[in-house]
Amino acid sequence: MNNLVDIQIQIEKLQKQASEIKGREFDKTVLDIRAKMQAFGITVKDLQVPAGRKGRGKAKTLAQPKAVGVKKKAGAVVAAKFRGPNGETWSGRGLTPRWLSTLLAQGRTKEEFAIQS
């Protein structure tokens, strides 16, 4: 376990295990969160706290100046452009995910994982 390839293989195995555990525990966690929300009377609106504000209370909406001619959807979902060998996806935006970085370090190319439309 002294060389980079062995360590990268171990990382890949551990990431796969973590993904499997997350998949198994996801439904249980959602049910737990829903139960707590119901017990405390928490709504989705309560969870949406504006930036720079802490705690509970009535949220005030501040008017934001609009940029002329700019149409930008905050939080818009972007279609995946790359798919990994274990089904991982990446839109091509933001930091390169670990699974792809590992494969690139092994000499693979991004184009190998491009999703054909």
Side-chain angles (χ1 to χ4, degrees), residues 1 27 33 47-48 51 53 81 88-90 114:
M1 189 64 59
D27 291 336
I33 291 169
L47 300 176
Q48 298 171 338
R53 184 180 167 98
K81 294 183 182 176
E88 313 94 327
T89 59
W90 180 47

Side-chain angles (χ1 to χ4, degrees), residues 34-99:
R34 286 182 178 162
K36 288 181 180 179
M37 287 177 69
Q38 186 174 15
F40 288 93
I42 298 171
T43 65
V44 174
K45 188 175 181 180
D46 293 329
L47 300 176
Q48 298 171 338
V49 178
R53 184 180 167 98
K54 295 181 182 178
R56 281 188 72 157
K58 301 271 183 184
K60 295 180 183 178
T61 56
L62 301 174
Q64 296 288 332
K66 293 184 179 181
V68 177
V70 176
K71 293 182 181 180
K72 194 173 192 180
K73 293 183 181 179
V77 178
V78 179
K81 294 183 182 176
F82 300 93
R83 184 176 317 277
N86 297 321
E88 313 94 327
T89 59
W90 180 47
S91 68
R93 294 185 178 182
L95 295 175
T96 305
R98 288 184 184 167
W99 63 265

Side-chain angles (χ1 to χ4, degrees), residues 11-25:
I11 288 170
E12 190 174 315
K13 287 179 183 178
L14 290 172
Q15 285 177 335
K16 187 175 181 181
Q17 283 179 332
S19 178
E20 290 170 356
I21 291 169
K22 183 178 178 182
R24 284 194 307 260
E25 294 182 0

